[in-house]
Structures are given as C-alpha cells and as structure tokens.
Amino acid sequence: MTNIELLKGLDTEIPGWVLQSRLAERGYTNIWQKIEGLMSDGLIERVMRGWYCLGPLLRTRQPSLRYLACNVYGPAAVSGNLVLFEAGLIPDAVASVTAVTPKRSRSLKTPYGNIHWLTVPRSSVFIGTYAVKDPPGYIRATTEKALLDQLYIIRYTPQSYSLWQAFILEDLRIDKDALESLDLTSMYELGRTYKSPKIIKHIKWFQKYLGIPNK
C-alpha cells in the first residue's frame, strides 16, 4: 500500500487519534516513526500536538482555520473581531481567527493562519452561538454575542457615558448605523451569563445610546 492510499478517505483536518487508529489498522507498529515519515514526505502537516492536516498533494480544500479554532483547543466558538467585521460592525478585515473558550488564553501559529483563544466564563462560551454547516463546519457566535465577548475580553471599562461613546465609536470603531441593528433583548439575556458588572454596564449604555428603556 502506498502512503497516498494509506491516507485516502481522511478529512483534511485529522485528529491525532484518527491518524493513529488508521496506521494501527494497517499494521504499523512504530506509529510515531511512520507519522514523522508522512510529514517528511509532505503528505501531512502538523498543526499542533495531536492534530494534523493533509498536505497540499492530497487535500481537496484548504484546511479550515475556523474548524481548527473550535476543535484543537476545545471547547471553543469563533467570535470577536472576525465576526464583528463580517457582520459590518467594524471596518477593518481580520486575518486571524479568534475563538472564546473557558480554558486559559493562548495563541497558535499554523501554516494556514493564526488562531487566538480568549477566556470567557464557561457559562458564556456557547450561549448565543450556532453551527455553521458548510464543510467541515464550526461553531460561530452571533453578532451580539461576539460584541459582548469582545467587551468582556478588553480590560478597559469606561467610567462615564461620554467616555463609553468615545470607546465604542472611536477606539473600537463600531459603525453607528450597525449599532441600530443590534438585538438588545438578546444582548440583555446573553449578558447575564457572564456574571460581570462590566458587561451589564455596557448593555445599559447601549440601551441609553439607542433610546431603549433599561430593564
């Protein structure tokens, strides 16, 4: 059996245990040596310990940085500035992928781009998210959830409404018109899961800015 035949049928993103099981089923005893050989031949690429991707010769699509963000250091959900940009709330494109996790914050450089994992309370990780079905799929925050995640992660807390406006509109560069599209009811419900006075204060200021009575 050739190495190409050996890897046939595997997804582009490969958990280490899947690769090890495939090699064991094919009768390989020195599995780690075989994995090193596959990497040397460019047939697989190591993303991090325990995760690999098919090499360019074998894959039919590019590895999904978003799928990797949700899985290689899971549980995690894509959120933050990437979602805010794609929703039209901020003007600048984002090259890396940010995901939120209950685990300790960390970053990872991969051959396909960078991933940043940022810590939010465990109760907040998956509330306000949904599954993106396009292969290989990933978990993504709603716009409101991504904004709250970003505000939770930033340590600065404005001490007045005027400072808050400058922070939101000038420092974070949130689009004024896009603010009008936010679902404040959803933000209020999501905000409670952070158990953070800072987040509640932000939501009240959003309500004031949009002329919505406080709950």
Side-chain angles (χ1 to χ4, degrees):
M1 175 180 293
T2 67
N3 285 336
I4 292 178
E5 292 172 332
L6 175 65
L7 298 172
K8 187 176 180 179
L10 292 177
D11 290 334
T12 299
E13 303 84 2
I14 314 169
W17 69 268
V18 171
L19 182 58
Q20 293 169 41
S21 296
R22 169 66 64 91
L23 295 177
E25 290 169 359
R26 301 300 190 272
Y28 291 94
T29 54
N30 196 334
I31 289 175
W32 296 113
Q33 183 179 48
K34 184 61 179 178
I35 289 175
E36 290 294 330
L38 293 171
M39 287 194 295
S40 295
D41 292 341
L43 297 178
I44 61 172
E45 300 167 331
R46 178 180 282 129
V47 177
M48 62 178 289
R49 184 176 181 180
W51 276 89
Y52 304 86
C53 285
L54 291 176
L57 179 65
L58 298 181
R59 61 189 183 225
T60 57
R61 59 171 173 79
Q62 277 293 103
S64 169
L65 205 59
R66 301 176 192 215
Y67 173 87
L68 293 171
C70 291
N71 288 279
V72 304
Y73 190 58
V78 172
S79 187
N81 279 338
L82 176 63
V83 174
L84 297 181
F85 169 72
E86 292 181 345
L89 261 73
I90 60 175
D92 299 320
V94 180
S96 60
V97 171
T98 296
V100 292
T101 175
K103 296 182 178 180
R104 188 172 48 127
S105 296
R106 64 172 294 181
S107 296
L108 176 69
K109 291 183 178 181
T110 81
Y112 329 109
N114 298 334
I115 304 172
H116 305 290
W117 289 278
L118 299 173
T119 306
V120 298
R122 182 174 296 275
S123 58
S124 303
V125 174
F126 291 114
I127 296 295
T129 65
Y130 60 97
V132 175
K133 302 296 185 180
D134 294 339
Y138 66 98
I139 303 300
R140 177 188 179 91
T142 63
T143 304
E144 290 78 11
K145 172 63 161 48
L147 181 54
L148 291 178
D149 283 339
Q150 194 68 17
L151 292 172
Y152 181 86
I153 290 159
I154 296 172
R155 295 189 176 185
Y156 171 66
T157 304
Q159 296 305 306
S160 69
Y161 178 64
S162 60
L163 289 175
W164 177 84
Q165 283 185 293
F167 171 63
I168 293 294
L169 300 177
E170 298 172 20
D171 297 340
L172 298 187
R173 302 181 69 197
I174 302 293
D175 182 82
K176 290 182 179 181
D177 294 333
L179 283 178
E180 300 284 345
S181 68
L182 292 176
D183 183 342
L184 265 292
T185 300
S186 173
M187 288 184 72
Y188 180 79
E189 296 298 323
L190 291 169
R192 295 189 298 180
T193 69
Y194 294 84
K195 299 179 174 61
S196 167
K198 174 177 73 171
I199 290 298
I200 298 303
K201 182 180 288 187
H202 275 298
I203 292 171
K204 288 181 177 179
W205 278 334
F206 276 119
Q207 291 173 328
K208 182 177 181 178
Y209 180 82
L210 296 173
I212 300 172
N214 288 334
K215 295 187 178 182

